Amino acid sequence: MIYYFSGTGNSRYAAQKLALLTGDKAVNIASIYNGTVKSVVGKSDVTGFVFPVYFSGLPEMVKRFASNPQIRENLGEYVFCVITCGAETAAADKMLSKTLGRSVDLSISLRMPDNYVIAYEPSDSREALSRLAAADSKLEKVAQAINQQGTYFKTHFKKSAVTFFMYPFYGVFRTTRFYKADSKCTGCGLCAGVCPDKAIEIKNGRPVWINKKCQHCTACINRCPEQAIQFGPFTKNRGRYYIMNIKKQGE
Ligand SMILES: Cc1cc2nc3c(=O)[nH]c(=O)nc-3n(C[C@H](O)[C@H](O)[C@H](O)COP(=O)(O)O)c2cc1C
Ligand code: SF4
Ligand code: SF4
């Protein structure tokens, strides 16, 4: 079983590709929480986790899922993780191991397009397509390693230090207070549809953030076809990245 979490599609893409190459099944963690996949937790020989690194650590939903006793009890003999990132994953794998209560056998960092539009310009289509092509080749090798139950886990003090200092900022930025749809919003509802946390509702033709905190995955900001969603003043003049938009261009 390969469990994945994804905001803008990179980790979904990686998980589905790995499932295809290893003959396994990819299951969306958000669907489990939102009740659209029933009784997915079954014992299998291999358990995989695929998700993006956030502030050098785990997305809240992944942390919650990995600490669930039912998940911990039903882990396979062999556990792997593939963590997608824009630059580096620091000690997110160590955090996953700690949360699961056992070490991960194989830990892979997979560089993919950058989506963190709140802090910097996300990958444009040229960069995105080139990173996706490199990720495709790496995923073939990762699938071989999984099929042979290969092991790899490298940790050192510097990685842990980065996670230790960066991860607390995630908790701060998860507030939904700064999300707003500007006048370009047409009320299409796509933002609510892509939110893995079901944190958005469309009321009177406009999105409303109904929870105080969310996953901070940026899917709503990046998916909006009008680029109407802003996070404070940070996103107004920046581009957007969402894998399906890029893939369509690359076809
Ligand atoms: C809240 C947030 C924090 C992020 N933090 C990091 C980070 O610490 N290091 C990094 O290399 N990339 C970081 N990124 C980039 C994503 O990990 C990367 O683009 C990932 O592939 C997105 O996956 P997804 O499309 O499945 O959501 C961050 C993105 C978001 C939204
Ligand atoms: S996706 Fe954009 S245009 Fe559509 S409802 Fe949301 S904010 Fe408005
Ligand atoms: S509200 Fe936006 S940023 Fe927050 S979890 Fe939903 S899609 Fe992601």
Side-chain angles (χ1 to χ4, degrees):
M1 191 84 74
I2 302 176
Y3 297 114
Y4 72 87
F5 171 83
S6 183
T8 54
N10 291 347
S11 311
R12 176 182 301 109
Y13 178 81
Q16 288 177 342
K17 180 144 192 168
L18 282 179
L20 204 71
L21 293 169
T22 60
D24 209 334
K25 196 169 152 194
V27 175
N28 188 353
I29 295 173
S31 305
I32 298 172
Y33 282 116
N34 295 322
T36 53
V37 176
K38 290 199 181 84
S39 59
V40 286
V41 187
K43 187 100 182 161
S44 54
D45 295 341
V46 176
T47 307
F49 295 87
V50 184
F51 56 88
V53 64
Y54 286 173
F55 288 84
S56 304
L58 305 184
E60 186 276 337
M61 197 178 276
V62 174
K63 202 168 182 200
R64 193 169 6 127
F65 186 73
S67 62
N68 182 308
Q70 230 189 319
I71 297 298
R72 290 167 56 142
E73 280 159 24
N74 285 287
L75 290 173
E77 289 287 304
Y78 180 76
V79 178
F80 73 87
C81 67
V82 172
I83 308 180
T84 73
C85 64
E88 67 144 309
T89 56
D93 52 0
K94 209 170 154 188
M95 193 183 276
L96 177 69
S97 297
K98 228 172 151 180
T99 313
L100 290 171
R102 62 150 285 171
S103 53
V104 168
D105 299 296
L106 178 78
S107 159
I108 303 289
S109 301
L110 187 67
R111 192 168 188 228
M112 293 203 89
D114 262 315
N115 70 354
Y116 198 42
V117 55
I118 288 158
Y120 42 72
E121 188 64 34
S123 295
D124 61 18
S125 3
R126 218 170 66 129
E127 182 176 70
L129 284 169
S130 118
R131 287 190 188 190
L132 286 169
D136 271 341
S137 324
K138 188 161 176 179
L139 282 168
E140 306 255 344
K141 292 187 190 119
V142 176
Q144 275 175 19
I146 294 167
N147 285 333
Q148 291 161 4
Q149 306 222 334
T151 52
Y152 180 79
F153 193 104
K154 214 172 180 181
T155 182
H156 53 71
F157 174 74
K158 209 178 121 205
K159 282 183 170 201
S160 300
V162 172
T163 296
F164 181 81
F165 286 108
M166 289 303 294
Y167 195 61
F169 289 104
Y170 178 43
V172 177
F173 276 83
R174 281 183 55 224
T175 174
T176 53
R177 223 157 24 118
F178 302 114
Y179 293 90
K180 272 201 175 62
D182 66 25
S183 56
K184 297 193 289 300
C185 172
T186 60
C188 70
L190 270 176
C191 49
V194 296
C195 176
D197 220 9
K198 296 281 169 255
I200 304 175
E201 273 180 14
I202 304 295
K203 293 183 180 163
N204 301 321
R206 301 289 283 234
V208 176
W209 280 260
I210 53 169
N211 300 336
K212 282 200 169 132
K213 286 195 168 196
C214 72
Q215 296 302 310
H216 198 52
C217 71
T218 71
C220 53
I221 304 177
N222 279 303
R223 181 64 185 94
C224 174
E226 311 301 328
Q227 303 199 354
I229 299 183
Q230 312 303 340
F231 185 87
F234 304 110
T235 49
K236 197 160 181 268
N237 298 316
R238 291 197 174 132
R240 299 292 192 258
Y241 168 76
Y242 195 83
I243 194 168
M244 293 320 285
N245 301 346
I246 300 296
K247 277 276 164 198
K248 270 183 220 141
Q249 285 170 37
E251 273 163 14

